[in-house]
Amino acid sequence: MILINKDMCMKCQACVKDCVVKVLTTGADGFPEVKEDDGRYCLNCQHCMAICPVGAVECNGVSAAQAKALGALPPPETMMNLVAQRRSIRQFKDEDVPQETLLKLLESLAWTPTGCNVHNLTFTVVSHRSEMDFFRSEMNKSLRFLINSGLLRLAYPKFQRYMGEVLRGEDVIFRNAPHVIVAASPKNAPCKEADPWIALSYFDLVAQTYGIGTCWSGFAVHALNWIGKLRKRLGLPKGYRVGAVLLFGLPAVTYHRQTSPKQFEIRIL
Ligand SMILES: Cc1cc2nc3c(=O)[nH]c(=O)nc-3n(C[C@H](O)[C@H](O)[C@H](O)COP(=O)(O)O)c2cc1C
């Protein structure tokens, strides 16, 4: 529900102009209003609350008074360094990330944009190495079974080399990481493929600023969706599928310079 405080509202229409679903319109008295029945189209993006210069709008229980003030942003060069200096970490220290750092990192997830602002992603975080050991050993056991049965060779013929590593007991999927975060989306979400990756990309970048190393695991996305016992352990709600997986922990390696990746083909029209 959107509430306008008419004692504060200056009738500037900023909220009306910025409402993507046009739930807010200008009433006969010049104040913004939500027509009867239109409220159900509200995406709860809270733009109306955030854009109001005088804080006169409350959106679905969130008032301007409750909202956090804007903070400083990193300058462009720092942000570019963050992007360029993030490396996929595959060598981790054998220690847990402090829980308070982890909780701080998880805060970033709330702001991830999702298609149509359907805010129903779900995340599972393995926060202790002991739990990770369970995932690692079950993963290896299940993969060995799938490899030995010939099923995996049939489904993923290009990954023969990795299969040899799995059979030698190497942790190809979780890279010996102390932690993993799994993002899952409901099968019927409008952007079910994109949302989990975007959410964990936010987490990924914020993680770097805390000195936490990360590595995407496309393998784990497939494997976790394949292996029933691990899927169950993730505790996903019914109808959800694993969409993206990010490994993380304290890095055991340091990179001394940036890489120089080949630029992509870019067309500027
Ligand atoms: C969608 C996606 C899936 C990936 N899956 C894996 C994976 O399963 N295992 C792995 O070790 N690295 C994985 N990576 C990491 C890439 O190999 C890595 O980003 C690339 O080699 C470039 O290295 P950099 O991230 O250090 O720049 C994945 C990356 C992306 C974006």
Side-chain angles (χ1 to χ4, degrees), residues 78-174:
T78 310
M79 193 63 204
M80 197 64 100
N81 287 341
L82 177 60
V83 170
Q85 290 167 208
R86 177 214 54 82
R87 293 278 66 78
S88 292
I89 297 298
R90 300 184 182 90
Q91 299 179 74
F92 294 95
K93 285 188 183 157
D94 188 21
E95 47 185 283
D96 285 344
V97 165
Q99 291 289 303
E100 66 188 86
T101 308
L102 178 57
L103 294 178
K104 213 67 208 144
L105 279 180
L106 294 174
E107 277 180 27
S108 67
L109 295 172
W111 281 278
T112 185
T114 55
C116 304
N117 207 28
V118 173
H119 211 74
N120 56 9
L121 286 167
T122 184
F123 300 89
T124 305
V125 186
V126 177
S127 64
H128 292 289
R129 279 167 300 155
S130 50
E131 177 69 10
M132 204 60 216
D133 286 343
F134 168 81
F135 273 83
R136 235 184 287 286
S137 75
E138 279 304 321
M139 179 64 81
N140 191 264
K141 227 188 292 173
S142 305
L143 288 182
R144 275 168 184 276
F145 172 77
L146 290 169
I147 293 168
N148 289 331
S149 70
L151 253 173
L152 225 53
R153 281 195 174 84
L154 219 61
Y156 300 98
K158 283 192 186 151
F159 294 145
Q160 299 281 356
R161 210 156 59 85
Y162 292 115
M163 291 177 204
E165 291 175 17
V166 171
L167 293 175
R168 285 196 296 278
E170 288 177 35
D171 183 15
V172 175
I173 305 291
F174 296 124

Side-chain angles (χ1 to χ4, degrees), residues 86-88 90 175 197 215-219:
R86 177 214 54 82
R87 293 278 66 78
S88 292
R90 300 184 182 90
R175 304 282 182 199
W197 291 101
C215 187
W216 293 103
S217 184
F219 285 155

